[in-house]
Amino acid sequence: MEINGQSVSRETQERLELFIELFKKWNKTTNLVAPSTLTELWSRHVADSAQIFQLSPEPKRWVDLGSGGGFPGVITAIFLAELNDGWVDLVESNNKKAAFLRIALKETGARGAVHPVRIEKAPETIQRCDVISARALAELDLLFDYIHPWASRNPNLRAYLNKGRDYESEVQKARSRWQFDLVKHRSAIEADSVVLEISNLALKG
């Protein structure tokens, strides 16, 4: 099996398939994604999430903000299971979604833990990380507010943020308050979308 042109092991494929089955079952009672996107789970959600890990495939300590239905946090944790190293701390304040995430991690044997707290409070319990991911969560300026506590503790921290076609205006707005290095990775899924790789994040002044 290939995802975004990269081979995936049989074991990882089985974990992903199990996750999708759990997802479909839970989505009937808990609104994890819009029903209109259910028919595109693999292309719209799994593959889109997988490209985050594929940009940084070594074992690391991840924090996934606003994990929701597990994209990309659980997908990253499933890939790390094959490496038998690395970890994902999934931050999700909605208790129903957090319950789903816990079961998904347990059933698939993925490497992660769920923190049912508001994002602003997460740095109090998750002291350090190497990488941060977030998908369809907030504008860059607000995301940087969330990320900054970890960036101030780890100068080598990187963030991988899925963004749609209007990302340029978000980048310009964020530059009024923040200084940061930016690498734009074209999405393997949608022509107008990108994954923004952020490093050296700091408040201006």
Side-chain angles (χ1 to χ4, degrees):
M1 178 186 183
E2 288 191 353
I3 297 180
N4 304 329
Q6 296 190 27
S7 295
V8 173
S9 72
R10 169 67 65 180
E11 184 180 26
T12 295
Q13 179 181 342
E14 290 173 353
R15 292 182 200 271
L16 291 170
E17 289 172 350
L18 174 57
F19 171 69
I20 289 298
E21 290 307 310
L22 288 167
F23 185 94
K24 288 178 178 176
K25 184 164 70 174
W26 274 73
N27 201 58
K28 293 175 183 176
T29 56
T30 304
N31 187 28
L32 300 173
V33 295
S36 60
T37 67
L38 272 175
T39 56
E40 308 170 280
L41 276 176
W42 277 98
S43 61
R44 179 89 174 260
H45 297 293
V46 174
D48 190 40
S49 297
Q51 67 180 332
I52 298 291
F53 175 79
Q54 289 167 337
L55 288 171
S56 186
E58 303 82 16
K60 298 182 180 73
R61 186 81 185 227
W62 291 73
V63 167
D64 185 55
L65 301 177
S67 297
F71 304 112
V74 173
I75 305 304
T76 299
I78 285 173
F79 277 101
L80 289 175
E82 182 171 339
L83 301 179
N84 199 31
D85 199 356
W87 193 259
V88 185
D89 288 301
L90 297 96
V91 180
E92 175 52 59
S93 61
N94 180 290
N95 285 324
K96 285 187 176 180
K97 292 179 180 179
F100 162 71
L101 293 170
R102 282 194 201 93
I103 287 175
L105 291 173
K106 182 179 179 182
E107 294 289 320
T108 61
R111 293 182 62 84
V114 181
H115 302 262
V117 297
R118 293 182 61 81
I119 293 172
E120 299 90 333
K121 295 287 187 182
E124 297 175 12
T125 52
I126 307 167
Q127 292 298 314
R128 193 174 174 85
C129 65
D130 305 307
V131 193
I132 291 177
S133 58
R135 183 173 179 262
L137 180 61
E139 283 197 0
L140 275 182
D141 190 46
L142 179 55
L143 282 174
F144 288 171
D145 279 324
Y146 294 153
I147 293 168
H148 186 245
W150 287 293
S152 63
R153 297 170 190 168
N154 179 4
N156 297 315
L157 181 136
R158 292 183 181 272
Y160 292 91
L161 311 171
N162 299 71
K163 284 292 170 184
R165 64 184 67 185
D166 298 326
Y167 70 91
E168 288 284 9
S169 61
E170 290 188 34
V171 170
Q172 293 308 312
K173 180 182 176 182
R175 287 201 188 280
S176 67
R177 290 180 61 214
W178 304 91
Q179 58 187 37
F180 53 93
D181 293 336
L182 171 65
V183 179
K184 302 172 190 176
H185 301 277
R186 290 290 167 190
S187 171
I189 312 305
E190 296 186 51
D192 294 334
S193 298
V194 294
V195 177
L196 300 182
E197 179 180 343
I198 307 294
S199 58
N200 297 315
L201 178 69
L203 275 166
K204 283 187 172 179

